[in-house]
Amino acid sequence: MNNNPVLPLYYRIYSELRTRIINGYYKDGKLPPEMELCKEFKASRITVRNALEQLRREGLIVRSKGSGTFIKRTEGEEELTRLTGFTDEMKGRRVTSKVLENKLVSVPLEAQEQFGLPAGTLVVLLKRVRYIDDRPVAIESAYLNPSVDLRILNILQKNMETSSLYHFLQGELSINLSYAEEILEVTKVSKEEAQLLNIKPGECAILRKRHTYTDTGKCVEFVLSIYRADEYKFRVIRK
């Protein structure tokens, strides 16, 4: 827990519990009783209640008199101030994927300049439907730049229905991802997209365009993602 004495104790408890909830610390979906939290954090009951109230206002928990405090089941949520992949953002939730394409294609126009590649150069396309707790949430088309590291081509042989792309890039290839530039737009889904996301054709969705860069300034990834507006939301924290 953050022990900065400048911050009120209730806020430090709130911050610690919030981190635990987001990271899936409470596997049964339920927080400990108030008295246990008081003992753990060496705090009064009113201080713990203030922390829990802040979590409730934020929509992270539901309190039921006589039953306890439960983690609220919500739509997928991502903080745009953090550079992480879909799997890591959804810690604590069941994340699965269905691979639609994993092949070499010509570099898309929107990535040519950032990748530093001429038209017609082959790059990897990994297109997947992403699920949270077995519900389709997004269609993600990731174009990967092999000129950054030729081992990126190994992804063509991997089972990306069970593997995390960012774990592959950072963990297996030791590519350090530094920052990303993103654009969010409102779009309407096509008939094919609607079928994959289990919604009606023409419904509004969130279109996300993302260029991801390494610590050496090379663009390694261009992603086009379409998110169901009723199942996913983005959070921006400004400091």
Side-chain angles (χ1 to χ4, degrees):
M1 184 175 76
N2 188 334
N3 291 315
N4 186 346
V6 176
L7 299 174
L9 180 55
Y10 90 87
Y11 185 86
R12 284 181 274 159
I13 297 172
Y14 147 78
S15 182
E16 174 64 22
L17 292 175
R18 184 181 186 277
T19 298
R20 292 181 184 181
I21 290 170
I22 292 174
N23 291 336
Y25 180 85
Y26 298 110
K27 301 300 183 183
D28 60 355
K30 184 177 181 180
L31 268 65
E34 283 184 5
M35 293 310 297
E36 285 188 26
L37 293 175
C38 290
K39 184 177 180 181
E40 177 185 354
F41 294 111
K42 297 180 175 59
S44 67
R45 197 161 188 172
I46 191 168
T47 299
V48 168
R49 283 182 175 176
N50 284 339
L52 294 175
E53 176 61 18
Q54 184 66 30
L55 292 170
R56 186 195 66 79
R57 289 176 182 172
E58 198 170 322
L60 292 174
I61 63 171
V62 176
R63 308 196 69 192
S64 177
K65 190 174 182 179
S67 298
T69 303
F70 298 87
I71 297 170
K72 187 176 180 182
R73 182 185 177 92
T74 62
E75 66 267 38
E77 178 179 305
E78 179 173 345
E79 290 187 8
L80 292 180
T81 50
R82 300 172 59 209
L83 179 54
T84 52
F86 188 90
T87 301
D88 286 333
E89 287 290 350
M90 295 299 110
K91 277 185 176 178
R93 309 289 294 276
R94 183 171 182 268
V95 177
T96 54
S97 303
K98 178 182 179 181
V99 175
L100 303 177
E101 296 180 79
N102 186 7
K103 63 182 183 180
L104 293 173
V105 298
S106 295
V107 59
L109 181 63
E110 289 182 274
Q112 285 179 27
E113 182 178 349
Q114 290 83 355
F115 280 5
L117 299 175
T121 304
L122 295 180
V123 297
V124 175
L125 166 61
L126 175 61
K127 184 174 181 179
R128 296 180 290 180
V129 180
R130 313 307 300 271
Y131 298 83
I132 298 176
D133 299 332
D134 298 322
R135 299 192 309 277
V137 170
I139 303 169
E140 180 184 90
S141 299
Y143 296 87
L144 303 169
N145 184 1
S147 71
V148 172
D149 189 321
L150 279 177
R151 293 176 299 165
I152 286 175
L153 295 174
N154 292 342
I155 203 170
L156 297 170
Q157 309 301 322
K158 292 184 68 68
N159 180 2
M160 295 308 296
E161 292 196 348
T162 57
S163 300
S164 162
L165 175 55
Y166 272 29
H167 289 182
F168 169 70
L169 293 175
Q170 297 181 109
E172 295 188 32
L173 304 188
S174 298
I175 295 175
N176 294 319
L177 304 180
S178 178
Y179 68 97
E181 296 177 351
E182 300 191 341
I183 296 175
L184 299 178
E185 303 175 4
V186 176
T187 188
K188 291 186 177 181
V189 297
S190 66
K191 184 177 180 180
E192 178 187 358
E193 292 164 345
Q195 187 174 10
L196 291 171
L197 293 175
N198 195 26
I199 57 179
K200 296 179 181 178
E203 280 196 21
C204 288
I206 304 167
L207 173 62
R208 180 184 192 181
K209 301 178 182 180
R210 176 173 181 164
H211 293 90
T212 307
Y213 294 82
T214 69
D215 58 354
T216 59
K218 296 180 179 179
C219 185
V220 67
E221 173 196 52
F222 170 58
V223 183
L224 284 173
S225 301
I226 296 175
Y227 295 86
R228 281 181 55 163
D230 63 336
E231 289 283 357
Y232 204 85
K233 64 182 178 182
F234 297 92
R235 177 188 298 273
V236 178
I237 298 178
R238 302 190 185 277
K239 299 181 180 179

